[in-house]
Amino acid sequence: MWTQVYDPFGHWWLSTLVAALPIVVLLGLLAGFRVKPHWCAIAGALTAIAVAVLFFRMPVMLAAVSFGYGVAFGLLKIAWIVLAAVFLYDISVETGQFEIMKESVAGITPDRRLQVLLVAFCFGAFIEGAAGFGAPVAIAGAFMIGLGFRPFHAAALNLIANTAPVAFGAIGTPVHTLAAVSGLPEGDLNAMIGRILPFTAALIPFWLVKTMASWEDTFEVLPAILVVGISFSLTQFFWSNYVDGNLVDIMGAVFSIVAMVGFLRFWKPRNIWRFDYDEKPAELPPPAAEIDDQFGGEWPTDKFDGYVKIRSYSAPQILKAWMPFAILSIIVLMWGLPPIKSVLNLATPAFKVVLPDGKVRPGPPGWDVPYLHNAVYRAAPVVAKPAPEAARFDFNWLSATGTACFIAALIAGLLLGLGPVRLMKIFWRTLVRMRLAMVAISFMLGLGYVTRYSGLDAVLGLAFTRTGWLYPFFGTFLGWLGVALTGSDTSSNALFGSLQRITSQQLGIDPVLMCAANSAGGVMGKMVDAQSITIATAATEQVGNEGVIFRFVAWHSVALGAIVGIIVMLYAYLFLGAIPHAGIGVP
């Protein structure tokens, strides 16, 4: 048994600086020295272990096991999702369906400003709601490259877009976790988050377009920006306050896509906006009659906007092209439903136990991590009274979201005419291409788990609690810090949910508000966490440019986090009556 120590030096500011060393090493190497991300993750993890053992007196065995626990969690729960999602994308490319998908979007609008709204914001939010973790950045980023975006723009814009939906991602997993650790009603937390984030959800489409275009070009498509932002934010508010938190992102994405596509049937921007690197042909294509003679009929185009040819496809062809992602969405949604998840857990082969009488019964959903489970105690002021930290490794691989993505990829590949051998070859290529990203993701989760079980995260969090009446603002950044450290809003809520409740009660601030602020503020840290950046660079084939992307998105992350902090401050001191306390939708 070991109890965490939060001020080993007797000076809170010095203890905080030392606790921050692993993050300084990780981000310093990544952004300052442009070291490859897997080496950054390894260095950061080793620093975290050294700091925990040497300065915070964590037993070596506990530090080593917590690191291994994080690596295992990262491989099964996160890297597996990203690998399977990229595998699905590779199947779509291999069969030629991705080209049709790309041109179907280009057929809706060739304008880059509107394409980023449809793909990065709307489609990305749908994938976030279904799978979460790194899947939306991986899939939507690859999609945008196929549309002609440069890899840098595809990665950076998707990181910025993948913020507003994160709090309700993966079928509401972050809020489920927050309710469990804080002891507050999940309905109240859903409703409060749904009263904070719609303001930023309406702003982010504008922010995205302004990031890539001038003020004048941004205001030119303001009507479309408003349609996307308002449709998503209103759905996010309504669903979280009056229905539940599970399908908030999925319904918001569906409504915003339908609204955007319907709106573009009646409205077009005055000019078609493109990047400077979009190449314009020297001359227009020849008339249709000459195409047959010169190109043998291989250019069946009925549109030409001066830059690209857009082939016309029938509705069945377009539906077939989108089929892999439709299958992905359906299976992931099914996997997330509690009854189906329970059946899958019971059916997991690894947990079938044969009794002496020959009967078979389901085994436990995982096992206690040796040496670590309930061996680490959190103490005041992080918790009201000393409490052990559980460490149970959930090895329900059959019900894992990554398995759902992988099965969806296999089904899609078979329906598209690929045989088992060809599917295995594609998967092997995907695995080889993603191997270093998987190492980076797993080691970053190892780092996050060492900081959690050693109490380094609590030391950093306690520094924010010293801000007094400004705590609503800085408490929001506590959630931001948690996501930046772990790469997951779920993990941030698990780390700081209890601390937010205790601190807010001590300061006389509403605990429902501050626990919700932890999740809402955390989403803005998603774009700067090393795990998300690694996924983005791996999916867009930009490994080595992680530091450049980090420097580009860092100020966006801080600025948007500050906006969320201001919103929370307004609720804390001016609009207390808007904080729910009696279930979903009832103030």
Side-chain angles (χ1 to χ4, degrees):
M1 300 297 179
W2 175 72
T3 301
Q4 293 176 345
V5 179
Y6 304 126
D7 190 9
F9 297 101
H11 300 283
W12 70 268
W13 57 269
L14 181 57
S15 298
T16 301
L17 289 176
V18 174
L21 281 177
I23 310 305
V24 172
V25 170
L26 173 66
L27 297 183
L29 292 176
L30 190 66
F33 295 92
R34 303 186 181 185
V35 177
K36 292 183 177 180
H38 60 285
W39 290 117
C40 296
I42 293 171
L46 292 176
T47 304
I49 293 172
V51 168
V53 172
L54 297 177
F55 299 109
F56 287 81
R57 300 191 291 276
M58 186 183 194
V60 176
M61 177 61 75
L62 293 181
V65 174
S66 62
F67 169 73
Y69 180 25
V71 169
F73 181 91
L75 286 173
L76 179 64
K77 299 296 185 180
I78 299 178
W80 180 218
I81 294 175
V82 178
L83 179 66
V86 175
F87 176 44
L88 178 75
Y89 162 74
D90 287 345
I91 288 173
S92 181
V93 172
E94 182 80 10
T95 56
Q97 301 305 312
F98 192 80
E99 198 66 23
I100 300 176
M101 290 177 61
K102 178 186 73 176
E103 296 198 16
S104 69
V105 173
I108 296 173
T109 175
D111 193 294
R112 298 298 193 195
R113 298 166 296 185
L114 304 181
Q115 287 177 353
V116 78
L117 294 178
L118 280 170
V119 179
F121 186 80
C122 299
F123 184 56
F126 186 90
I127 300 298
E128 174 66 35
F133 299 102
V137 174
I139 295 174
F143 199 122
M144 288 174 63
I145 289 178
L147 283 171
F149 285 76
R150 276 186 178 167
F152 175 83
H153 285 127
L157 292 172
N158 272 286
L159 287 169
I160 295 173
N162 189 40
T163 48
V166 168
F168 296 104
I171 319 294
T173 300
V175 188
H176 299 331
T177 303
L178 181 61
V181 300
S182 67
L184 296 172
E186 186 172 324
D188 291 341
L189 294 172
N190 277 327
M192 190 66 249
I193 296 171
R195 299 178 189 191
I196 297 173
L197 284 181
F199 296 104
T200 56
L203 174 63
I204 285 173
F206 183 89
W207 198 290
L208 271 175
V209 176
K210 177 60 191 71
T211 300
M212 57 189 282
S214 66
W215 285 103
E216 181 181 356
D217 292 328
T218 301
F219 279 108
E220 186 179 307
V221 291
L222 185 60
I225 292 173
L226 292 175
V227 168
V228 169
I230 292 175
S231 61
F232 185 89
S233 59
L234 288 179
T235 306
Q236 188 181 56
F237 166 77
F238 174 81
W239 211 269
S240 60
N241 277 264
Y242 298 103
V243 185
D244 61 29
N246 293 338
L247 300 180
V248 171
D249 290 343
I250 292 173
M251 298 309 300
V254 169
F255 275 101
S256 60
I257 290 173
V258 171
M260 179 68 163
V261 173
F263 180 69
L264 292 179
R265 293 178 65 87
F266 305 100
W267 178 88
K268 303 293 181 186
R270 186 170 62 253
N271 302 299
I272 301 298
W273 189 90
R274 296 184 179 277
F275 290 110
D276 293 337
Y277 54 74
D278 285 316
E279 296 182 0
K280 185 172 183 178
E283 58 184 21
L284 296 176
E290 297 182 23
I291 290 177
D292 292 335
D293 295 335
Q294 297 183 24
F295 300 93
E298 296 180 0
W299 194 358
T301 180
D302 61 353
K303 295 182 182 179
F304 189 83
D305 65 3
Y307 282 83
V308 295
K309 58 183 183 297
I310 303 174
R311 293 185 175 93
S312 59
Y313 294 98
S314 64
Q317 287 177 306
I318 294 175
L319 290 175
K320 179 181 178 182
W322 282 91
M323 177 189 65
F325 293 93
I327 293 173
L328 171 70
S329 304
I330 293 171
I331 291 182
V332 168
L333 279 174
M334 291 172 57
W335 244 246
L337 297 175
I340 294 179
K341 184 177 284 291
S342 298
V343 171
L344 291 171
N345 287 341
L346 294 176
T348 303
F351 300 116
K352 289 182 178 178
V353 179
V354 180
L355 301 177
D357 59 3
K359 293 182 179 180
V360 178
R361 69 168 177 82
W367 60 78
D368 298 341
V369 178
Y371 302 104
L372 185 62
H373 180 65
N374 289 339
V376 174
Y377 274 72
R378 291 208 166 209
V382 176
V383 291
K385 58 182 180 179
E389 280 284 281
R392 289 187 58 81
F393 184 63
D394 173 11
F395 194 64
N396 284 323
W397 59 268
L398 192 57
S399 64
T401 305
T403 303
C405 296
F406 183 72
I407 291 175
L410 292 179
I411 294 173
L414 293 173
L415 291 177
L416 291 174
L418 298 178
V421 175
R422 194 172 174 191
L423 282 171
M424 288 177 61
K425 290 181 178 179
I426 296 173
F427 182 73
W428 176 253
R429 291 202 302 267
T430 304
L431 183 61
V432 171
R433 179 156 61 93
M434 297 292 292
R435 66 190 187 283
L436 294 180
M438 294 178 68
V439 170
I441 292 168
S442 59
F443 270 73
M444 286 172 188
L445 264 294
L447 184 158
Y449 272 58
V450 171
T451 61
R452 170 185 172 183
Y453 285 97
S454 65
L456 300 184
D457 61 332
V459 175
L460 296 172
L462 288 171
F464 285 89
T465 67
R466 298 175 179 272
T467 54
W469 69 273
L470 288 174
Y471 181 70
F473 181 85
F474 288 100
T476 302
F477 269 94
L478 179 57
W480 180 96
L481 175 68
V483 177
L485 286 171
T486 66
S488 165
D489 200 45
T490 300
S491 298
S492 176
N493 289 341
L495 291 175
F496 295 135
S498 177
L499 176 63
Q500 290 277 19
R501 177 172 184 171
I502 293 169
T503 304
S504 60
Q505 289 174 331
Q506 291 174 344
L507 295 174
I509 302 169
D510 196 292
V512 170
L513 172 64
M514 290 315 304
C515 287
N518 191 85
S519 193
V523 304
M524 299 310 171
K526 186 74 173 175
M527 70 181 84
V528 294
D529 79 83
Q531 170 194 304
S532 293
I533 292 174
T534 300
I535 293 169
T537 56
T540 56
E541 299 185 359
Q542 277 201 102
V543 174
N545 288 332
E546 290 80 9
V548 178
I549 293 175
F550 173 80
R551 289 192 294 272
F552 180 84
V553 300
W555 85 268
H556 296 280
S557 177
V558 174
L560 287 167
I563 291 173
V564 177
I566 292 171
I567 294 171
V568 173
M569 287 277 287
L570 293 174
Y571 275 117
Y573 299 119
L574 294 181
F575 303 109
L576 281 167
I579 302 174
H581 280 289
I584 295 178
V586 183

